[in-house]
Amino acid sequence: MEYLSNILFVIVLIAGIGFFARNVKRLSRNIKLGKDVDVSDNTSQRWKNMAKIALGQSKMVVRPIAGFLHIIVYVGFIIINVEVIEIILDGILGTHRLFAPLSVVYDVLIGSFEILAILVIVAVTIFWMRRNVIRIKRFMKPEMAGWPKEDGNLILYIELVLMTLFLTMNGADYQLQQMGAAHYIEAGSFPVSQFIAPLFEGMSISSLVLVERTAWWIHIVGILCFLNYLYYSKHLHILLAFPNTYYGKLVPKGQFKNSDAVTAEVKLMMDPSADPFAAPAEDAEEPAKFGASDVTDLSWVQLLNSYTCTECGRCTDECPANQTGKKLSPRKIMMDTRDRLTEVGKNIDANNGKFVDDGKQLLDGYISREELWACTTCNACVEACPVSIDPLSIIMDMRQYLVMEQSAAPTDLNNMMGNIENNGAPWPFNQMDRLNWAKEE
Amino acid sequence: MANELKVPTMAELFAAGQKPEVLFWVGCAGSFDDRAKKITKAFVQLLNRANVSFAVLGTEESCTGDPAKRSGNEFLFQMQAVTNIEVMNAYGINKIVTACPHCFNTIKNEYPGLGGHYEVVHHTQFLKTLFDDKRITLEGGQFKGKRITYHDPCYLGRANNVYEAPRELIRKLDAELIEMKSCKEKGLCCGAGGAQMFKEPEKGDKDINIERTEQAMETKPEIIAAGCPFCNTMMTDGVKNKEKEGAIAVMDIAELIASAGDL
């Protein structure tokens, strides 16, 4: 019986981490449904970007209030993990405050966790107010209705509860230490929870132990649940922000990729010795599809982008089309891509590892043509994203599909393209008149 | 316009066995659009004044393919690119200057992958080096103390990080440069990029150029400066829409410098 709680703890831990591992595997399988792209170049620049943008939060602070609050929660999260290591070891070994022999260092550690915990509670409360009381515009866009809104709030509630449990646990512990309870060695410094301790005054040691143990258990089980909640939540960014900033675009923002499939076709057309009437070789591959109409046409980096999106809406807030009331929202492009990818993943799971056509696709099923054509390709969304997501690349790939596979450009654009083809200018002017300006008064 | 423009073509120079310092890529807007042609001429006046050896391709120039690429017609874009690259490589061109940020971006960033490797500069960057080398000088002039706000073209600013050259040129006019609430990295699009210039905008509350013009007007400018022929058109339309064309002028940086230099 003595080891019952240790055994129980190990089972809970293994179950929690096991489920998480299963979800990570699914996540990686889904991302790999995307087309392969080579992003093995410039490793030093990529590491630098990850350090600066993900670890250093350099783009978060562009908006100082949200940026500052986010840094508190972020630092709180990272530091609290040290405490989680102790909790896990204590749980397995049946010890209590295993790191206590660090003495002064331990005091400083526990003290700083406590201060961060209270700061996180303050930050999370302000975040909640921004979403639910002040109702900041970008959180109220149509794509945020339903689950995205609940998800955002749920994360805040969980963080609030976890921090409160942490402080309650410490408060009860502190009280037990004062009472000289067995097992509860005097260790740590409790700058915040010492003010909770008086609430426990007059309680017996056994009731206090019950409070402490309950808070301790709910805290660690809560953390394990939270870990598994990530897969279903926008909160995945706490993990994926790192690879995503690593694989982010390095070339100038204005540089759009030249399609290799098209280059091959153009070369063939320009080759005077090529036979235009030649029948394709028997073993020739099926010609590549131009552009993207579903998630499997996108690259794995674009799919990683979609899972990394935190739905913060900074992209949509800066988007000139969205600002002037058009349907396009870069955030929605990312959310749609993620939703469709999740759907495709579920389809594969349900059909023994093979995708069975469901008659749907990203284009029209999730993203409308009206949204795609409203984009001015100005890169404001790309600039605004705090974690190097590129919604514009998805918009462009889908436009390519519309134009090159479906010939479904708006009429005005078809006219423009016809002019370029015939006259070498988007307007119907004769190429021979190109120098007329030099002779005009 | 007092002096006649000297506009040599690559073909003429090539026939004479000469090679210019730089190719001036005029672009479709600069060649055909009545408003943009004025920018082209102003820039050529400055090139003439600074004795820059340059040439244009003239009838051998064709659209870079930017609007085709950005509307999704990668095929047409690459056909245009390959044709232009063939012409330019045949002339052995090394350096290109252009007054259009879209041509600038496409030739600088997207042509190298298709075999076109050139040093490409925007006309504001080029003019700045002419000032740095004292090939052009300015003293005072008609814009002294005037309130000028500068609209960052997306394809110059955010797309290629060119923010300072145009601003430095405005400062050379002894003018008062006032920034809009959205500027530099946060600059708002004029509404013409991504081939929007050539189609009707999607349904919304208002047009993007109106929103941007309102932002510009908040700075109470006498002049809205631009560095892109498309931005120029969009902002001019915006100012007209607000019936302020009598009070606010929309001018390209090259025009500002040329007017200040009384060319």
Side-chain angles (χ1 to χ4, degrees):
Chain A
M1 281 305 280
E2 203 185 327
Y3 296 110
L4 192 64
S5 70
N6 305 36
I7 295 165
L8 189 64
F9 182 84
V10 172
I11 292 171
V12 169
L13 189 68
I14 290 174
I17 293 175
F19 270 113
F20 178 65
R22 185 198 68 155
N23 283 341
V24 168
K25 239 170 105 183
R26 266 191 196 166
L27 189 71
S28 122
R29 193 266 327 264
N30 285 0
I31 289 171
K32 282 182 192 150
L33 292 174
K35 287 216 167 88
D36 200 20
V37 275
D38 183 19
V39 267
S40 58
D41 59 332
N42 289 308
T43 44
S44 69
Q45 185 57 43
R46 291 182 183 281
W47 283 111
K48 253 185 243 163
N49 282 357
M50 184 168 98
K52 202 174 76 187
I53 304 170
L55 201 63
Q57 310 256 307
S58 59
K59 288 204 134 182
M60 279 307 293
V61 291
V62 173
R63 297 188 177 207
I65 299 173
F68 178 67
L69 295 172
H70 186 269
I71 285 178
I72 290 177
V73 178
Y74 165 70
V75 174
F77 169 76
I78 300 220
I79 300 218
I80 214 97
N81 280 319
V82 180
E83 174 67 14
V84 172
I85 295 173
E86 190 189 39
I87 290 179
I88 289 176
L89 290 174
D90 275 346
I92 298 171
L93 304 171
T95 49
H96 186 69
R97 297 202 178 263
L98 184 67
F99 298 161
L102 295 170
S103 71
V104 184
V105 179
Y106 192 70
D107 289 351
V108 173
L109 277 176
I110 298 293
S112 54
F113 298 159
E114 289 226 325
I115 290 166
L116 271 162
I118 194 77
L119 286 175
V120 168
I121 290 177
V122 173
V124 162
T125 310
I126 300 174
F127 274 145
W128 185 87
M129 307 250 291
R130 284 160 59 91
R131 278 175 184 268
N132 300 284
V133 180
I134 309 171
R135 296 168 69 86
I136 286 177
K137 207 175 72 192
R138 66 177 199 268
F139 298 127
M140 298 298 135
K141 298 274 173 186
E143 69 266 22
M144 295 307 285
W147 169 245
K149 183 180 158 77
E150 284 166 34
D151 183 23
N153 280 330
L154 205 51
I155 293 161
L156 297 178
Y157 299 142
I158 296 174
E159 282 173 18
L160 197 68
V161 169
L162 287 178
M163 291 302 114
T164 312
L165 284 167
F166 175 70
L167 290 174
T168 310
M169 172 184 104
N170 277 353
D173 198 301
Y174 180 68
Q175 187 71 2
L176 284 162
Q177 290 181 26
Q178 302 301 308
M179 293 162 79
H183 201 58
Y184 290 88
I185 43 162
E186 278 201 45
S189 159
F190 303 93
V192 179
S193 62
Q194 60 174 314
F195 296 104
I196 301 174
L199 293 175
F200 304 127
E201 212 123 341
M203 281 170 81
S204 69
I205 286 187
S206 58
S207 330
L208 267 176
V209 171
L210 190 68
V211 171
E212 194 274 338
R213 282 292 91 186
T214 309
W216 187 92
W217 271 99
I218 304 180
H219 181 67
I220 188 65
V221 171
I223 286 171
L224 289 172
C225 290
F226 196 39
L227 186 70
N228 282 290
Y229 168 65
L230 291 185
Y231 179 70
Y232 308 94
S233 160
K234 74 187 187 96
H235 219 53
L236 255 180
H237 79 279
I238 63 169
L239 301 175
L240 296 187
F242 294 90
N244 203 69
T245 47
Y246 180 87
Y247 292 118
K249 186 172 177 176
L250 296 181
V251 296
K253 286 194 189 66
Q255 180 177 337
F256 293 7
K257 200 188 166 309
N258 295 331
S259 158
D260 296 334
V262 171
T263 309
E265 296 272 332
V266 168
K267 271 200 189 126
L268 195 66
M269 273 193 74
M270 305 293 262
D271 180 4
S273 60
D275 176 8
F277 302 108
E282 295 252 330
D283 56 348
E285 284 178 47
E286 218 175 290
K289 178 174 170 181
F290 295 124
S293 65
D294 208 350
V295 283
T296 45
D297 303 324
L298 297 169
S299 77
W300 66 263
V301 173
Q302 289 168 315
L303 300 184
L304 172 67
N305 276 186
S306 76
Y307 273 123
T308 308
C309 176
T310 324
E311 302 166 13
C312 72
R314 291 184 184 204
C315 52
T316 294
D317 212 32
E318 299 286 338
C319 173
N322 193 279
Q323 278 184 29
T324 53
K326 287 149 189 85
K327 260 197 184 159
L328 174 65
S329 160
R331 170 173 58 189
K332 181 178 171 290
I333 300 286
M334 300 319 299
M335 292 167 71
D336 287 343
T337 305
R338 174 184 172 148
D339 289 350
R340 172 61 183 159
L341 183 56
T342 309
E343 186 181 54
V344 169
K346 278 186 187 155
N347 180 314
I348 292 174
D349 288 331
N351 294 297
N352 303 320
K354 264 196 86 175
F355 179 72
V356 174
D357 188 19
D358 57 359
K360 276 199 268 181
Q361 53 176 0
L362 185 61
L363 178 69
D364 297 331
Y366 288 80
I367 298 172
S368 68
R369 294 160 194 238
E370 183 178 344
E371 292 164 67
L372 296 172
W373 289 119
C375 174
T376 68
T377 72
C378 76
N379 266 303
C381 54
V382 184
E383 176 72 41
C385 181
V387 288
S388 309
I389 291 171
D390 185 354
L392 177 52
S393 70
I394 298 180
I395 297 174
M396 282 315 300
D397 285 356
M398 295 185 76
R399 277 192 183 178
Q400 280 189 2
Y401 176 83
L402 285 176
V403 171
M404 291 196 289
E405 292 281 342
Q406 295 203 325
S407 307
T411 315
D412 289 339
L413 287 188
N414 275 333
N415 290 339
M416 175 271 289
M417 290 187 263
N419 288 329
I420 291 181
E421 217 172 325
N422 299 323
N423 312 318
W427 297 287
F429 295 115
N430 193 322
Q431 184 150 10
M432 289 304 116
D433 292 339
R434 262 199 185 252
L435 203 50
N436 287 5
W437 59 269
K439 292 150 221 149
E440 290 163 7
E441 247 318 287
Chain B
M1 252 169 242
N3 304 331
E4 206 181 308
L5 298 176
K6 287 195 290 281
V7 194
T9 63
M10 282 305 296
E12 286 163 12
L13 292 194
F14 191 74
Q18 291 167 353
K19 202 176 152 186
E21 179 190 333
V22 61
L23 168 75
F24 171 30
W25 183 276
V26 184
C28 302
S31 303
F32 292 121
D33 181 84
D34 283 336
R35 177 67 188 86
K37 279 195 267 188
K38 291 184 182 154
I39 303 169
T40 307
K41 288 182 201 167
F43 184 57
V44 169
Q45 285 172 339
L46 292 168
L47 292 176
N48 286 165
R49 160 69 67 96
N51 284 320
V52 175
S53 94
F54 77 99
V56 298
L57 283 172
T59 55
E60 290 185 284
E61 189 185 283
S62 186
C63 173
T64 57
D66 160 85
K69 184 173 182 96
R70 267 145 264 270
S71 45
N73 197 336
E74 177 76 8
F75 200 86
L76 179 54
F77 159 72
Q78 289 203 16
M79 293 292 286
Q80 288 297 121
V82 168
T83 315
N84 283 323
I85 288 167
E86 256 178 27
V87 171
M88 288 195 284
N89 286 354
Y91 284 123
I93 283 162
N94 306 318
K95 187 170 179 178
I96 300 172
V97 60
T98 177
C100 174
H102 294 269
C103 299
F104 166 74
N105 176 71
T106 304
I107 301 175
K108 176 173 172 286
N109 295 320
E110 287 159 5
Y111 277 24
L114 300 167
H117 302 272
Y118 320 101
E119 181 195 348
V120 191
V121 292
H122 186 243
H123 73 314
T124 56
Q125 294 173 308
F126 193 75
L127 288 172
K128 189 189 159 290
T129 58
L130 293 182
F131 274 103
D132 291 347
D133 300 345
K134 310 248 180 315
R135 292 169 77 176
I136 302 181
T137 51
L138 257 189
E139 274 168 47
Q142 64 191 95
F143 300 106
K144 202 175 157 104
K146 290 226 167 174
R147 292 175 70 85
I148 300 183
T149 192
Y150 172 67
H151 162 80
D152 285 287
C154 305
Y155 275 87
L156 188 62
R158 242 184 336 254
N160 290 291
N161 288 316
V162 181
Y163 298 110
E164 274 317 303
R167 286 180 167 76
E168 242 178 78
L169 292 174
I170 294 174
R171 284 187 210 108
K172 290 208 186 298
L173 302 167
D174 286 335
E176 192 187 341
L177 173 64
I178 337 148
E179 296 291 356
M180 290 181 235
K181 75 170 183 192
S182 304
C183 64
K184 299 185 183 166
E185 287 87 351
K186 298 192 100 174
L188 189 87
C189 177
C190 71
Q196 299 289 344
M197 181 77 187
F198 307 101
K199 65 185 257 299
E200 287 300 315
E202 268 54 42
K203 213 165 84 263
D205 305 329
K206 64 165 101 158
D207 287 347
I208 295 172
N209 67 325
I210 303 298
E211 173 75 18
R212 186 52 167 169
T213 307
E214 284 168 2
Q215 285 189 0
M217 282 167 57
E218 279 170 20
T219 68
K220 311 235 173 314
E222 289 161 87
I223 294 158
I224 299 172
C228 169
F230 297 103
C231 297
N232 194 306
T233 303
M234 297 307 268
M235 298 305 279
T236 305
D237 287 353
V239 170
K240 272 188 197 148
N241 181 282
K242 298 279 169 192
E243 298 181 349
K244 288 280 179 204
E245 60 265 44
I248 304 172
V250 181
M251 292 177 81
D252 189 272
I253 305 240
E255 294 178 300
L256 287 169
I257 306 276
S259 311
D262 201 19
L263 298 175

